[in-house]
Amino acid sequence: MSRIRDISQTLRPSLPVWPGDTEFAFDRTWKMEDGSPVNVGRMTMSTHSGTHGDAPLHYSATAEDIASVSLDPYLGECLVVDARAARGWVQIADLPDLGGATRVLLRTYERFPHDQWDSDFTAIAAEMIDWLAGQGVVLIGTDAPSVDPQESKTMDAHKAVLANDMRILEGLVLDDVPPGRYELIALPLKITGGDAGLCRAVLRELPDA
Ligand SMILES: Nc1ccccc1C(=O)C[C@H](N)C(=O)O
Ligand SMILES: [Zn+2]
Ligand SMILES: [Zn+2]
C-alpha cells in the first residue's frame, strides 16, 4: 500500500483565519451523553479556512462556483517544489524543471504557522502563473493562505489564474514533504454558490517508475 501524506490543516476552534474572517467553531447539537442515540455536530467557518480550493467565483462574480468545477485538476500526478528560498513572491526563477508536471504545489514555509496568523506570507507572481499555464499547468497549490499578498486589491495572481482557467489550492501543509512527484487527491467540498471548498488534501507516493 503506497504511503499517504496528509497535507491538510486541522480544523479546530483555535484555527488562525484571515483577519476579520469567520472564526472556526464546532459544537455538538445531539449528544449521546444527553440520551441521544448518536452524537451530531455542526460547524461554522469561512469557505477559505484551512486547506481549501478556490472557485473561480471567488475572483470573478460571474464564474463557476465550487459545486460546478471539474474535479480533474484536483486528482492526479503533481510536483511538489521547495520554494522556501523565494522572498516575497515565488518567481519563475525559483522553479526547477517541471518535467511536464501539470499540477505544481509550492512549499514556502520552513514550518507551517499552525498557531498564529502570518500576514507576511510568500505570494505568487502573476507572471509565473502565466508561465506555468504556458507549460500546461492546470493547478497551482501553495502552503500560503493566498496566491496574492494579503493587502492586494488588484488580485493579480488570481486574475492570471482566471485568465488561464487554472485551479488553486491554498493552505496546504508541506513541511515534511520532500520535493518530487506524487499523486494529489484534494477534492473541494461540493457547495452550491461556494466561492471555495474545504479539502482533505493528501499526497500518495507514486509507484516506482
Ligand atoms: N478569508 C478571506 C477574506 C477576505 C479576503 C480574502 C480571504 C482569504 O482567505 C484569501 C483567500 N484564501 C484567497 O483566495 O486569496
Ligand atoms: Zn482561498
Ligand atoms: Zn485564493
Side-chain angles (χ1 to χ4, degrees):
M1 176 71 79
S2 58
R3 175 177 177 184
I4 290 177
R5 296 173 183 269
D6 188 350
I7 55 172
S8 313
Q9 295 180 55
T10 302
L11 299 177
R12 63 203 193 281
S14 59
L15 177 75
V17 298
W18 194 272
D21 205 355
T22 307
E23 295 291 339
F24 178 84
F26 175 90
D27 67 341
R28 197 151 282 156
T29 50
W30 297 70
K31 300 175 184 175
M32 294 179 78
E33 67 199 45
D34 295 344
S36 166
V38 291
N39 287 320
V40 176
R42 67 177 163 193
M43 291 189 296
T44 306
M45 60 184 291
S46 164
T47 49
H48 293 260
S49 290
T51 304
H52 67 278
D54 286 358
L57 178 63
H58 177 53
Y59 36 86
S60 167
T62 58
E64 285 179 294
D65 68 4
I66 200 66
S68 307
V69 298
S70 162
L71 295 180
D72 289 340
Y74 304 98
L75 268 175
E77 194 168 324
C78 72
L79 178 67
V80 173
V81 170
D82 184 348
R84 285 178 288 176
R87 292 293 171 263
W89 311 77
V90 183
Q91 310 265 11
I92 297 168
D94 296 309
L95 296 176
D97 179 340
L98 302 183
T102 57
R103 300 171 187 83
V104 175
L105 308 185
L106 302 172
R107 176 189 179 186
T108 66
Y109 283 118
E110 192 62 39
R111 303 306 296 167
F112 186 89
H114 288 285
D115 300 321
Q116 72 285 328
W117 181 260
D118 172 24
S119 292
D120 192 27
F121 55 83
T122 302
I124 300 175
E127 306 77 60
M128 189 179 104
I129 301 282
D130 290 329
W131 183 82
L132 288 171
Q135 300 295 308
V137 173
V138 298
L139 177 137
I140 182 74
T142 177
D143 52 8
S146 179
V147 295
D148 279 301
Q150 182 166 310
E151 301 313 319
S152 174
K153 297 292 181 268
T154 53
M155 306 297 280
D156 295 339
H158 283 88
K159 293 301 185 198
V161 164
L162 178 66
N164 292 291
D165 196 24
M166 297 164 78
R167 296 294 176 262
I168 297 172
L169 291 176
E170 292 164 339
L172 298 169
V173 181
L174 297 171
D175 291 6
D176 301 319
V177 181
R181 299 179 81 95
Y182 299 87
E183 179 188 19
L184 170 69
I185 303 169
L187 300 172
L189 287 184
K190 192 174 186 180
I191 307 165
T192 297
D195 52 279
L198 166 67
C199 291
R200 183 69 181 266
V202 300
L203 295 174
R204 203 149 54 172
E205 307 277 348
L206 291 169
D208 292 333

